[in-house]
Amino acid sequence: MAKTGTHSWTFTDPVYLQSTGTAVGPMEGEGPLKETYDVIHEELHCGESNWELAERKLMTDAVNTCLQKAGVDQSNIDLFLAGDLLNQNVTGNYVARQLGIPVLGMFGACSTSMETLATGAALVSSGYATQALVAVSSHNCTAERQFRYPTEYGGQKPGTATFTVTGSGAALLSKTPSKVKVEAATIGKVMDYSVKDPFDMGSAMAPAAWDTIKTHLEDMGRVPGDYDVIATGDLSSVGTPILKDLMKQDGYDISDVHKDCGLLVYHSDQPVFAGGSGCACSAVVTYGKIVQDLMSGKYKRVLIVATGALMSPMMLQQKESIPGIAHAVVLTRGEEGS
Amino acid sequence: MAKQPLNEKNFDKARKSYQPKPPYVMNCLKAFIIGGLICVFGELLTQMYIHWFDYSEKNAINPTVATLILLSALATGFGVYDKLGQFAGAGSAVPVTGFANSITSAALEHKSEGLVLGVATNLFKLAGSVIVFGVVAAYVLGIIRYVWSLIF
C-alpha cells in the first residue's frame, strides 16, 4: 500500500472483494434494481417489533448472505468494520455482538459505506487483517425518527428532500484474487458551504463530492474518462447538477460517466422526492448492481464516491450549517476474471 | 444560460437555481381545499350534535373537537394522515386534527421505549411548543385585558 498524491491510497498489495451481500426493504424491492438484491423484505418492520430491530435484521441478513456466498465461517474473519446512521452506531455494534468478530465502529454519515470499504482494504493490504468484513445499513424509519419527525407525523416536505434507503450492504475483503479488485481510495475532507437546510442535503454534500473527485483525479493522474462509471452516493436530483457544474468549472466533464446511486435506486414515479439517501443507498447499489456489472465484464473500472451529510439536529438548532464529506473507492475488474 | 461560477461565498444562494420551485399557488389551493373540507366536516358534526343529541350551539363544540381528534388519531395509526399532510400541507396541519396527529405520531414512535419514558415523555415533543406559547399568550393577553378593564 502506498500513499498517492495528497489524500489517496493505492493498494500495491492487491485486495479483492470475495463476496457481497445486500438486503433491502419493500420500496427498494420495487425499484429498478430489484433483480440485483439478495434479500428483499416485503414489510418495513422486516418481521421485527420495532424499527431499530428491523434495521439490525437488514444488516444481519446482508452479513449472513455475504459470508454464505463466500463460503466462509465467521470465526475466520479477523475484523468487522461496521457503521450506520444511528446514535452510538447501534446497528453495527449490536450486530457485532452476535458475530463475535473484533469490531471497529465507523461513522461518516452516508459516506460510511466507502469509509468502511477503504479502511478495510487498507488493513487487509497492509496485513493487519487477512479477511475483513465491512457492512453499513440505514432504515427509513429509524432515520426519520432520529433526524426528523415521528414517521407518521403529517408535515409537508419540499421537493429537495431525500428519502432514506431501507437496506444494508456487506462485503468481504481478502488478498485472494477474485473478479473484483479494490484498487485505490481517496479519503475526503469535510467541506461546508454553509447550507443549513436539512431538506436539501444534496446541495450540502455536492462540494464534498466535488473536492474528493477532483483530489482523486489529480492524485491518480487520471481523467473522468478513465472510469466507466463515477457513482456518487446520494446527491439526488438537486446535488447532481451542482456537482457537474463544479467539476466543469475545473475543466472536468463528468456528465458522460456520472451516475448517482440515489437516482438509480428508485423509479422516478416512486414518492421519494429528490431521490434516495442514507448509508445503504450507495451500499446496496455498489454491492449489488455495480459489483455484478464488474463481474460480468460490463465495467472495467468504476469510482464510487459515497457522500455524507454530517448532519446533527442539535447542531442545526444551534444555527450551525451541515458539513459534507465524501470518500471514494476505485473498484476494477480483477485478474481472475480477465 | 450564463451562470456565475459557484464558490464557497455564493453557494448558499446559488443552490436555489438548481432546485425545483415550490408550487406556492398550488400548495395554497390544496391547503385551502383540504383545510376547508376538514372544517366543513367539523361543522357537519356540530350540526349533528345539535340536532340529534340535544347539545346547545355552544356546547356542541366539545364533542365535535373530540370526534375530530379521535378520527385524526385513527388516521395517524392507520398511516393515512402523514400522506394527507404531504398533500395538503398547512391544510391538515393547522386544524385540531394536525395537533392530534403530532401527539399520536409521537406516541406511536416512542412506544418501543416503554409507556412512561417512551410514550408519556415524548407525547408533547412536537405539540409542547404550541401549548407553551398558547398558555403564555393567553396569560399575557389576560393581564392586558384585566388592566384595560381597571382603567376604563
Side-chain angles (χ1 to χ4, degrees):
Chain A
M1 188 182 75
K3 185 180 157 187
T4 313
T6 49
H7 305 300
S8 299
W9 305 337
T10 306
F11 302 115
T12 41
D13 230 352
V15 181
Y16 298 86
L17 275 187
Q18 299 309 313
S19 68
T20 57
T22 52
V24 295
M27 278 199 33
E28 296 69 25
E30 287 166 8
L33 302 178
K34 60 181 172 193
E35 311 292 338
T36 64
Y37 305 127
D38 295 314
V39 180
I40 296 175
H41 285 277
E42 302 284 322
E43 208 268 324
L44 263 179
H45 274 102
C46 308
E48 301 289 338
S49 59
N50 67 48
W51 300 130
E52 283 72 23
L53 283 170
E55 184 173 336
R56 228 176 285 164
K57 170 84 177 148
L58 288 165
M59 193 189 268
T60 309
D61 283 349
V63 164
N64 286 346
T65 317
C66 179
L67 292 178
Q68 226 163 44
K69 276 203 237 167
V72 173
D73 189 75
Q74 63 199 55
S75 58
N76 295 324
I77 312 284
D78 301 313
L79 195 57
F80 180 45
L81 297 154
D84 54 274
L85 297 177
L86 302 184
N87 293 339
Q88 291 84 37
N89 267 357
V90 283
T91 311
N93 289 333
Y94 278 75
V95 169
R97 179 176 70 175
Q98 287 165 348
L99 287 173
I101 307 169
V103 65
L104 288 173
M106 311 201 93
F107 182 80
C110 314
S111 72
T112 314
S113 57
M114 290 305 119
E115 186 183 4
T116 50
L117 185 62
T119 314
L123 291 170
V124 169
S125 179
S126 54
Y128 290 106
T130 313
Q131 300 205 81
L133 181 66
V134 299
V136 292
S137 70
S138 59
H139 191 295
N140 185 272
C141 300
T142 56
E144 281 298 309
R145 105 190 188 110
Q146 180 176 303
F147 292 102
R148 296 175 195 97
Y149 299 110
T151 46
E152 294 301 330
Y153 176 62
Q156 196 174 35
K157 284 185 185 171
T160 52
T162 48
F163 188 87
T164 308
V165 168
T166 301
S168 172
L172 183 67
L173 298 163
S174 80
K175 286 186 189 166
T176 314
S178 79
K179 284 182 179 171
V180 182
K181 182 173 144 186
V182 187
E183 186 195 38
T186 300
I187 304 301
K189 55 178 190 270
V190 172
M191 297 287 286
D192 192 335
Y193 275 16
S194 309
V195 176
K196 291 183 176 176
D197 183 357
F199 291 116
D200 183 15
M201 298 204 293
S203 298
M205 295 185 289
W210 159 72
D211 185 69
T212 299
I213 296 174
K214 195 175 68 134
T215 307
H216 175 82
L217 294 174
E218 283 165 4
D219 283 352
M220 305 291 289
R222 287 180 181 164
V223 293
D226 289 332
Y227 295 98
D228 295 313
V229 172
I230 295 179
T232 47
D234 47 6
L235 292 183
S236 78
S237 60
V238 177
T240 298
I242 299 181
L243 171 67
K244 285 182 184 168
D245 280 1
L246 283 167
M247 295 301 298
K248 212 173 275 172
Q249 278 172 211
D250 290 321
Y252 293 110
D253 183 7
I254 58 162
S255 43
D256 289 340
V257 288
H258 178 264
K259 284 190 162 102
D260 187 65
C261 298
L263 298 173
L264 295 172
V265 76
Y266 296 116
H267 286 295
S268 55
D269 58 351
Q270 284 180 298
V272 294
F273 309 96
S277 64
C279 297
C281 186
S282 51
V284 297
V285 175
T286 304
Y287 296 151
K289 173 81 179 150
I290 292 175
V291 163
Q292 285 161 23
D293 282 345
L294 279 165
M295 286 165 77
S296 74
K298 186 179 165 195
Y299 297 146
K300 293 242 164 5
R301 187 194 274 155
V302 299
L303 180 66
I304 317 290
V305 188
T307 42
L310 301 166
M311 199 260 274
S312 151
M314 194 193 285
M315 289 301 111
L316 283 183
Q317 284 162 359
Q318 292 178 355
K319 310 284 181 248
E320 287 282 355
S321 50
I322 305 170
I325 190 152
H327 301 299
V329 171
V330 184
L331 297 177
T332 61
R333 196 163 152 69
E335 283 91 45
E336 194 211 61
S338 53
Chain B
M1 188 169 68
K3 269 189 204 145
Q4 275 211 332
L6 288 165
N7 57 46
E8 195 173 346
K9 283 216 174 74
N10 70 8
F11 188 80
D12 196 35
K13 280 209 177 78
R15 76 188 163 97
K16 296 278 194 293
S17 66
Y18 292 89
Q19 300 177 351
K21 277 246 171 342
Y24 288 120
V25 177
M26 200 59 194
N27 281 352
C28 288
L29 203 67
K30 286 177 184 167
F32 177 76
I33 291 172
I34 300 294
L37 283 175
I38 293 174
C39 295
V40 167
F41 181 66
E43 185 58 31
L44 285 174
L45 285 174
T46 308
Q47 293 303 325
M48 184 187 83
Y49 284 116
I50 291 172
H51 288 287
W52 294 345
F53 295 95
D54 284 337
Y55 278 93
S56 72
E57 208 164 311
K58 205 177 166 190
N59 287 342
I61 302 294
N62 295 331
T64 301
V65 170
T67 313
L68 284 174
I69 288 174
L70 174 70
L71 290 176
S72 167
L74 286 174
T76 304
F78 285 118
V80 181
Y81 207 90
D82 59 328
K83 294 186 178 71
L84 180 72
Q86 180 58 37
F87 177 81
S92 60
V94 174
V96 70
T97 48
F99 190 78
N101 163 255
S102 73
I103 294 172
T104 320
S105 60
L108 280 171
E109 198 60 72
H110 294 283
K111 192 178 139 248
S112 64
E113 293 106 270
L115 194 62
V116 177
L117 294 177
V119 175
T121 307
N122 289 293
L123 207 54
F124 291 94
K125 198 166 135 185
L126 297 166
S129 57
V130 180
I131 294 179
V132 169
F133 286 112
V135 171
V136 171
Y139 185 80
V140 170
L141 284 171
I143 290 177
I144 291 173
R145 197 181 153 193
Y146 177 69
V147 172
W148 187 271
S149 71
L150 285 184
I151 300 172
F152 300 98

